[in-house]
Amino acid sequence: VVDDLTEKKRFERERAMIKRYLPSQLVDNLPDDLSELKLRGERRQITTLFADIRGFSTFSEVSDPEKVVEVINQYFDFALTAVDSHEGIIDKYLGDAVMAHFNTTLRPVPGHAWRAVLASWDFKRAIQEHMQQVPVEDRLNVGIGINTGVSVVGNVGAEDRMEYTAIGDAVNLAKRLQESARGDQILLSSSTYQLVKERVDVRTLAPIQVKGRQAVEQIYELLDVRRS
């Protein structure tokens, strides 16, 4: 009986955790046996997107707390809409940054690199349109980095406080690209670009050496997408 209760509690925790990442209609269609989702961890090729609001620290210093929360929530809403519409998941919000993944075990999808690129582009366009409707002092840009590679995807943390996430060098590279991006700029890694190059217009930038890596990384600035 004790074992059954323990397993039931674990199941309830995992199902509650999943609800944080998926739209309600997808949660309703989850299998009864959550082990099929490989929540304990799996090496998997995914595409990771990092986006960070540029100038937010300065903005928060001179703005009322209520205004800061209103602005950052608006940007996060744009991010969620863009990521969800292209079948990715928001992993977490990190201060004024967003971390998202495409093709996780929770939401496997084909063409995940292309979906991440489309999400980044839609996010950027939503922000550009928004900035035309708000005062100049409220206009903030976003820098975005995208990388495709094999990561470990699954639950990480203590037994009673698990979080579903992706870890590994591929995820770290996406974050480094975001850190290198200027405001209103989307940077693609070489691996992502190779998967979408027939459907995007880019500017080839000088290779960079990112923190924690010895080899240089060829990067590309996304200029436009061709949806048809």
Side-chain angles (χ1 to χ4, degrees):
V1 173
V2 172
D3 289 343
D4 287 345
L5 288 175
T6 300
E7 183 63 19
K8 182 179 180 180
K9 288 181 179 179
R10 182 187 66 79
F11 176 87
E12 292 174 348
R13 283 201 306 269
E14 289 184 340
R15 200 169 189 88
M17 178 273 297
I18 291 171
K19 288 181 179 179
R20 295 168 51 195
Y21 298 98
L22 296 180
S24 57
Q25 66 270 24
L26 292 182
V27 174
D28 293 339
N29 293 327
L30 288 175
D32 292 332
D33 184 1
L34 295 182
S35 64
E36 295 179 21
L37 299 178
K38 299 181 180 179
L39 298 179
R40 297 300 176 182
E42 177 190 52
R43 289 178 60 83
R44 185 179 183 89
Q45 188 186 59
I46 64 173
T47 298
T48 296
L49 179 158
F50 273 92
D52 178 79
I53 302 175
R54 297 295 188 254
F56 188 76
S57 296
T58 300
F59 173 79
S60 63
E61 288 177 1
V62 299
S63 303
D64 295 333
E66 296 82 2
K67 183 68 173 180
V68 172
V69 172
E70 176 187 346
V71 169
I72 197 170
N73 283 344
Q74 180 66 74
Y75 277 69
F76 286 166
D77 185 57
F78 291 146
L80 177 60
T81 299
V83 169
D84 185 52
S85 66
H86 294 290
E87 301 185 71
I89 66 168
I90 296 288
D91 182 324
K92 58 177 64 74
Y93 301 108
L94 304 160
D96 57 351
V98 177
M99 177 183 180
H101 308 295
F102 297 77
N103 196 40
T104 62
T105 51
L106 288 184
R107 204 171 188 182
V109 290
H112 48 91
W114 175 235
R115 293 172 189 269
V117 167
L118 287 177
S120 72
W121 191 254
D122 288 351
F123 184 26
K124 175 180 174 177
R125 293 295 297 272
I127 291 172
Q128 290 175 335
E129 292 175 6
H130 174 69
M131 287 196 298
Q132 301 304 312
Q133 304 171 23
V134 298
V136 174
E137 61 270 19
D138 292 349
R139 298 177 185 177
L140 300 171
N141 285 316
V142 172
I144 300 174
I146 303 175
N147 181 50
T148 303
V150 175
S151 302
V152 177
V153 183
N155 280 341
V156 174
E159 181 62 29
D160 292 332
R161 193 178 176 85
M162 289 285 188
E163 288 193 352
Y164 186 83
T165 191
I167 58 177
D169 181 66
V171 175
N172 294 339
L173 179 54
K175 187 174 190 303
R176 299 307 181 195
L177 293 181
Q178 170 258 299
E179 292 170 350
S180 298
R182 302 189 308 272
D184 205 36
Q185 187 177 46
I186 301 170
L187 297 184
L188 310 180
S189 70
S190 179
S191 59
T192 299
Y193 172 68
Q194 293 302 320
L195 292 170
V196 302
K197 61 183 179 181
E198 303 300 328
R199 310 175 77 176
V200 297
D201 295 327
V202 300
R203 177 184 294 115
T204 302
L205 303 179
I208 63 172
Q209 184 170 18
V210 299
K211 183 179 178 181
R213 281 189 163 208
Q214 293 184 347
V216 296
E217 176 72 23
Q218 179 61 61
I219 59 174
Y220 303 86
E221 179 183 3
L222 182 65
L223 301 178
D224 202 357
V225 298
R226 300 191 290 273
R227 296 176 188 267
S228 58

